Amino acid sequence: MKLYNIPRVKTITKEDFIANYFKPQKPVVIESLTEDWPAYSKWSLEYMKLVSGDKTVPLYDDRPVHHEDGFNQPHATMKMAEYIDLLRSEPTKYRIFLWNILKEVPELQSDFSFPDFGIKLMKKLPMLFFGGENSHTFMHYDIDLANIFHFHFEGTKQIILFDQNQNRHLYKIPYSLITREDIDFSNPDFNQWPALKNVEGYTTKLEHGEVLYMPEGYWHYMKYLTPGFSMSLRAIPRHPKNLGIAIYNVFVLRYLDNFMRRLQGQKWIDWKNEQAITRTHNRINLNA
């Protein structure tokens, strides 16, 4: 894979952000944006255990999608205190994602502010994500194709991004927002996944307090190199085409996929996985 380092800046004005990254839809890491937030000095796994240890949290791992899985259905639950103890004691595949701060621990909102990037952020949807050493997400893009600002705290996180214009190389699962789940994007097997040799994208490692801007609909793979957590703030897509796709995804695609799972069961999942390979290889003439 041809991966380019995501550009980095210490700070940025909203004018520069709009001109150099938002309008051209390019990613960027802002290194010092959070240094004046209380969260910069307070937010750690220990602090999260202190303020939310009694909360029951949904946990997800990297098992393949099964037809009986509900939308965002967790694979396990645990008290936050137990989960953080687990993160610190041993590597675990269990992750937390889309954990709403305002709903679960509203006092955390006083630890951060909503930066003025020149675009309107959705202030009711600050979400937290946690992961253990070497846990990772599947390569995916978000259902609403939002502009995402991903703030990382504690430890180190590896990021790989692709624009939607790279879809033809990615083994995208049809009627889904993910690629083949058995691809290790941190170390892909090009004999098994030859189309990936042609894909071009971006990579970086996020450290404590750094924020990554991910443009609308960007594919993202995230791997926790050490235990840690992140917060995402988001803004709706501004490109009319992306906004239309987001509306389709939310109100049509996910219901269509759930209907087919109920109708055909695991055959639907298996067919989609096979089609991801067939369609990708047809596009690059490997099946000719």
Side-chain angles (χ1 to χ4, degrees), residues 99-116:
W99 202 60
N100 192 313
I101 292 176
L102 297 183
K103 177 182 176 182
E104 302 293 345
V105 195
E107 60 265 34
L108 288 176
Q109 188 176 351
S110 63
D111 291 339
F112 68 92
S113 59
F114 291 87
D116 183 3

Side-chain angles (χ1 to χ4, degrees), residues 238-252:
R238 300 304 176 89
H239 192 287
K241 178 182 177 181
N242 289 339
L243 184 57
I245 293 172
I247 292 170
Y248 169 79
N249 288 345
V250 171
F251 294 105
V252 178

Side-chain angles (χ1 to χ4, degrees), residues 65-120:
V65 170
H66 190 271
H67 76 279
E68 294 181 347
D69 294 338
F71 185 73
N72 283 350
Q73 179 180 341
H75 299 135
T77 59
M78 192 179 294
K79 292 292 186 182
M80 178 65 91
E82 297 175 76
Y83 175 63
I84 289 177
D85 287 342
L86 176 63
L87 293 185
R88 289 173 155 175
S89 64
E90 61 186 61
T92 176
K93 298 294 186 182
Y94 280 135
R95 296 177 292 106
I96 300 173
F97 82 103
L98 292 177
W99 202 60
N100 192 313
I101 292 176
L102 297 183
K103 177 182 176 182
E104 302 293 345
V105 195
E107 60 265 34
L108 288 176
Q109 188 176 351
S110 63
D111 291 339
F112 68 92
S113 59
F114 291 87
D116 183 3
F117 291 111
I119 58 176
K120 187 176 181 180

